[in-house]
Amino acid sequence: MAQGKNTYQFEDLLEKHQLKKTGARLRVLSMMYAKNTATSQPDLESVMHDIDRVTLYRILNVFEEKGIIHKVFDLNGTANYAVCSSGCHEHHHHDEHLHFNCTACKGVFCLNELSLPAINLPTGFQPTGFTLYASGLCPKCSGASPKSSPKERT
Ligand SMILES: [Zn+2]
Ligand SMILES: [Zn+2]
Ligand SMILES: [Zn+2]
């Protein structure tokens, strides 16, 4: 609900990526943008009963291909999808940020704001991308609200 995108903006987004504006695609987008964690296909299935599995699978695939969403794995190894930052393009993802897996709520968070150290691989290895994961407790589960913690003021 938060990120202030409305249906028109989702339509624009689909148009920008030369995708047909279908109701199913718009609903998947709005659900993914509304969450601050990554979403798995079973998550989407559980709220979108009228969209069949194959359609959903295709939507996620085409969004990933177009650079709208990227794949992240949760602690069970299930694929989740998170909205990409604006730096991603078709067949060209730049999602080299830390992904945080919460062991309590099982949420997968994209920590875009962290800058990662350069990683130098041994000679001969030519990486096309990095995926970094951390696990532990998210702010909600650790009891520390990210916004206001009254104890901070002394
Ligand atoms: Zn991406
Ligand atoms: Zn959590
Ligand atoms: Zn991410």
Side-chain angles (χ1 to χ4, degrees):
M1 291 211 164
Q3 298 188 14
K5 277 209 191 283
N6 58 40
T7 315
Y8 298 109
Q9 287 167 298
F10 293 131
E11 286 183 2
D12 283 352
L13 191 68
L14 291 178
E15 200 159 298
K16 199 180 114 195
H17 292 280
Q18 281 118 39
L19 290 170
K20 234 172 89 196
K21 291 171 240 172
T22 66
R25 281 176 178 162
L26 289 169
R27 281 165 60 203
V28 170
L29 275 183
S30 73
M31 181 174 167
M32 297 193 76
Y33 272 88
K35 292 180 67 173
N36 69 337
T37 53
T39 313
S40 67
Q41 185 170 348
D43 283 348
L44 290 165
E45 277 169 18
S46 70
V47 291
M48 298 180 183
H49 308 280
D50 52 321
I51 304 176
D52 69 84
R53 211 168 266 217
V54 179
T55 308
L56 210 47
Y57 175 82
R58 289 203 186 120
I59 291 175
L60 293 172
N61 263 311
V62 76
F63 282 180
E64 192 189 5
E65 217 179 274
K66 295 282 185 182
I68 301 172
I69 59 174
H70 59 279
K71 207 184 264 173
V72 265
F73 292 94
D74 66 18
L75 291 169
N76 300 321
T78 305
N80 280 247
Y81 295 88
V83 173
C84 286
S85 58
S86 49
C88 292
H89 306 286
E90 186 158 5
H91 302 300
H92 220 89
H93 282 274
H94 294 280
D95 302 294
E96 281 139 24
H97 47 256
L98 187 73
H99 287 109
F100 193 94
N101 285 306
C102 179
T103 51
C105 68
K106 312 288 184 240
V108 187
F109 301 80
C110 289
L111 301 183
N112 294 307
E113 60 277 9
L114 285 183
S115 56
L116 297 173
I119 297 166
N120 296 310
L121 294 183
T123 318
F125 291 95
Q126 298 183 341
T128 50
F130 286 97
T131 314
L132 288 134
Y133 286 95
S135 57
L137 294 176
C138 75
K140 210 174 105 208
C141 298
S142 69
S145 163
K147 287 178 220 139
S148 57
S149 98
K151 275 177 224 149
E152 247 167 62
R153 274 190 213 121
T154 38

